[in-house]
Amino acid sequence: QVQLVESGGGLVQPGGSLRLSCAASGFTLDYYAIGWFRQAPGKEREGVSCLSRSDGSTYYADSVKGRFTISRDNAKNTVYLQMNSLKPEDTAVYYCATALWISHTCGGAYAYWGQGTQVTVSS
C-alpha cells in the first residue's frame, strides 16, 4: 500500500526550529520529485519547497527562503524539511507529496499525499 506519513510538527516559539519528516512506504521516494505544502485556516494551500528528481535542484517560496531546507535520505526512504527561525505566519498544517515531474516552481501532478502535521508558532 502506498503511503506517506509526516511527523515532527508541534508547538514552538517564534525563532524556534522544527524538522519535519516524510516517510514513504509501498514505493521508493527516489523515483519521485518531492514537494512540501502548507495550509493555514482560511487560506489556500501553498507550495513551500520542492526537490526535483532529475537534477536535484531545489525551490523555496519567498516567504521561507533562507530559513527552510529540504533534503532527501534515500537509504531511509524519507524526506525532511528543516525549519529554522520560525515565525507566527508559518503556522499551518504541513503536507508532503510526490510527483513524477515538477516545474521549477514546484507545479506538477502530485499523486501521493501525506495526512499532514500541525506546526504552530506562538508565544
Side-chain angles (χ1 to χ4, degrees):
Q1 180 175 330
V2 174
Q3 188 174 12
L4 292 170
V5 178
E6 301 97 333
S7 62
L11 174 64
V12 297
Q13 293 183 313
S17 297
L18 287 172
R19 188 182 72 164
L20 305 184
S21 299
C22 176
S25 61
F27 69 105
T28 301
L29 279 177
D30 187 49
Y31 297 161
Y32 298 89
I34 304 160
W36 282 98
F37 301 82
R38 67 186 182 187
Q39 187 166 24
K43 296 185 177 181
E44 295 184 358
R45 184 183 65 204
E46 64 173 333
V48 176
S49 180
C50 61
L51 177 66
S52 71
R53 176 192 176 194
S54 59
D55 61 4
S57 62
T58 59
Y59 166 85
Y60 299 94
D62 289 342
S63 59
V64 307
K65 195 172 299 182
R67 300 187 296 119
F68 291 10
T69 303
I70 189 171
S71 62
R72 180 201 305 260
D73 188 336
N74 290 332
K76 297 181 178 180
N77 210 28
T78 301
V79 297
Y80 303 96
L81 185 68
Q82 179 66 45
M83 309 165 65
N84 298 325
S85 302
L86 285 162
K87 304 175 181 179
E89 54 261 43
D90 295 319
T91 296
V93 177
Y94 284 71
Y95 302 88
C96 66
T98 62
L100 291 176
W101 179 90
I102 55 172
S103 73
H104 68 283
T105 54
C106 300
Y110 289 91
Y112 304 134
W113 292 80
Q115 85 289 349
T117 185
Q118 176 72 49
V119 173
T120 302
V121 185
S122 177
S123 59

